[in-house]
Amino acid sequence: LTIDLTPRVFDILRGPEHPSHDADVSKWKLWAAERCVPVTQEVEGLKAVIAGDSGTANDRRRLRELKTILESMKRIAALKGDWVIDRDKGGSIRFDPLWPAPYCEDLLFRGIPKIVLASATIRPKTLDLLGMDQKNVTYFDTPSVFPIASRPVIHIPTVRVDSKWTPSDQKWWLLQIDRILKDRQDRKGIIHTTSYDRRTLILEGSRYRDSMISNTTRSTAEAVENFKRSQPPAVFVSPSVTTGYDFPGTEAEYQILCKVPFPDTRSEIVSRRCKSDETYAHYLAMQTMVQSCGRGMRSGDDRCETLVIDNHFWWFVRTYKAYAPKWWLDSVRMSEYVPQPLPKLNMKK
């Protein structure tokens, strides 16, 4: 549903200046409808040139670009309902529906009478966000086949990690990270930092910084492969691998969650959704936290402990446990001290 207009799109389009990102949706719809006419004309002209065997490689490339732009213009011109328009740091304009629910039947479910949704983290609220009537849903909350002893989630009381923490809080937090790493130098692990600022604090302040690997916003995949190839005591320090990446077996035998991963509300779409639904941020944070714990635990004979060092953890889990699957809640416990590591894995990757 998201529509992205990059600076390249605006370079290609000729004619009236586009509205500002905070302009009313109606102005964007009018602008897009007006742009459809000349873009359509150029598309048809290029098709004719290429069909006559006189088109160049540049003509074919421009035709592909214009066809994509034309589709975006048509979609913007036809927007209905409540949409959020935002500009990112790179100058792109992004269009998002406030909620996907109004579009799910037409685009996702499509009148299909019986549908199965399967996920390790799906919750009843997930279905609400998709606009599904709970009366028409049969919900199965199944146990995990992975042994609890192999996937503990352990909160170690440390400090509250938020905008109010002090330099002494940060020092204690870093010391706790180093205590965890000290007894795990025979294996590889991941530190989920939630933000690049906290990643930098760790890379600059940990005594184990020389064994750490990290990434930028553009180098995540490359950094992950570098980490996977590395030998212990490698530690991947990043806010970017809470989903979408797997670290089975000895690729990651422990993880540190530095902070309860509340979403960044500086994004206009996230901010608007949080204002519209006061539990939305907590739902996202719980989903991210549970997904993070699963990065290093990939099979029944795998083993990966997750250590949490944010004192917001317990009140958050108690208050919003409805957003977490039971199999994950069963693995949660507290330890006043940094626990001894789980037995070392001898399995192959």
Side-chain angles (χ1 to χ4, degrees), residues 56-345:
T56 66
N58 285 338
D59 291 332
R60 287 187 286 272
R61 182 171 59 252
R62 184 169 179 83
L63 178 59
R64 289 194 297 270
E65 288 181 319
L66 287 173
K67 289 170 76 172
T68 300
I69 292 171
L70 182 58
E71 179 62 27
S72 295
M73 294 300 102
K74 288 179 178 179
R75 290 183 59 197
I76 293 171
L79 292 181
K80 295 180 181 179
D82 200 350
W83 283 68
V84 178
I85 306 172
D86 197 13
R87 179 191 293 273
D88 68 17
K89 294 180 180 179
S92 293
I93 305 293
R94 181 168 187 161
F95 300 74
D96 282 297
L98 181 59
W99 299 110
Y103 306 91
C104 286
E105 179 54 45
D106 289 343
L107 299 177
L108 186 62
F109 304 137
R110 303 176 65 83
I112 298 169
K114 294 185 179 181
I115 297 173
V116 176
L117 303 180
S119 170
T121 61
I122 196 168
R123 304 304 300 154
K125 186 173 179 65
T126 313
L127 310 180
D128 290 337
L129 293 172
L130 294 175
M132 300 177 69
D133 186 346
Q134 297 284 351
K135 293 184 295 184
N136 297 326
V137 173
T138 302
Y139 187 88
F140 298 94
D141 197 349
T142 58
S144 173
V145 297
F146 300 168
I148 289 180
S150 298
R151 53 178 176 88
V153 178
I154 305 169
H155 174 233
I156 306 168
T158 306
V159 297
R160 286 181 175 243
V161 183
D162 54 34
S163 61
K164 298 179 181 178
W165 69 343
T166 65
S168 61
D169 289 335
Q170 293 179 15
K171 185 175 181 180
W172 176 239
W173 180 76
L174 285 167
L175 179 61
Q176 201 78 297
I177 290 173
D178 282 353
R179 284 176 171 173
I180 294 169
L181 297 179
K182 177 177 179 292
D183 293 328
R184 291 163 175 81
Q185 294 296 288
D186 62 340
R187 62 196 70 188
K188 295 162 64 175
I190 301 170
I191 303 179
H192 297 283
T193 64
T194 305
S195 75
Y196 282 98
D197 287 343
R198 273 179 291 278
R199 178 206 64 159
T200 301
L201 283 175
I202 295 169
L203 293 178
E204 293 180 351
S206 172
R207 61 182 292 192
Y208 297 101
R209 65 178 74 90
D210 290 342
S211 62
M212 292 179 176
I213 297 170
S214 190
N215 64 292
T216 65
T217 55
R218 296 184 178 183
S219 67
T220 303
E222 180 182 356
V224 166
E225 288 306 311
N226 183 24
F227 170 69
K228 286 174 175 278
R229 291 191 299 267
S230 300
Q231 297 300 311
V235 185
F236 193 64
V237 185
S238 174
S240 310
V241 293
T242 56
T243 61
Y245 290 93
D246 297 340
F247 302 89
T250 55
E251 288 185 358
E253 295 185 57
Y254 67 92
Q255 300 183 110
I256 303 174
L257 266 61
C258 291
K259 184 184 186 303
V260 175
F262 295 108
D264 186 350
T265 56
R266 289 175 295 182
S267 160
E268 185 67 20
I269 182 63
V270 175
S271 175
R272 286 279 302 278
R273 286 179 176 173
C274 290
K275 290 177 182 177
S276 177
D277 178 352
E278 62 182 14
T279 66
Y280 181 67
H282 305 102
Y283 166 78
L284 287 185
M286 186 66 81
Q287 289 280 304
T288 301
M289 192 154 57
V290 175
Q291 287 283 355
S292 299
C293 293
R295 296 310 91 209
M297 186 68 193
R298 308 307 303 172
S299 66
D301 57 356
D302 204 345
R303 188 184 299 143
C304 186
E305 58 182 336
T306 300
L307 308 162
V308 187
I309 55 171
D310 180 1
N311 285 359
H312 287 294
F313 179 78
W314 270 113
W315 73 258
F316 175 76
V317 171
R318 286 197 303 267
T319 306
Y320 298 103
K321 61 183 179 182
Y323 299 151
K326 185 177 184 301
W327 63 261
W328 183 83
L329 292 171
D330 289 342
S331 68
V332 173
R333 62 184 177 86
M334 181 187 288
S335 174
E336 290 295 332
Y337 306 99
V338 174
Q340 288 299 303
L342 295 177
K344 181 78 178 69
L345 272 172

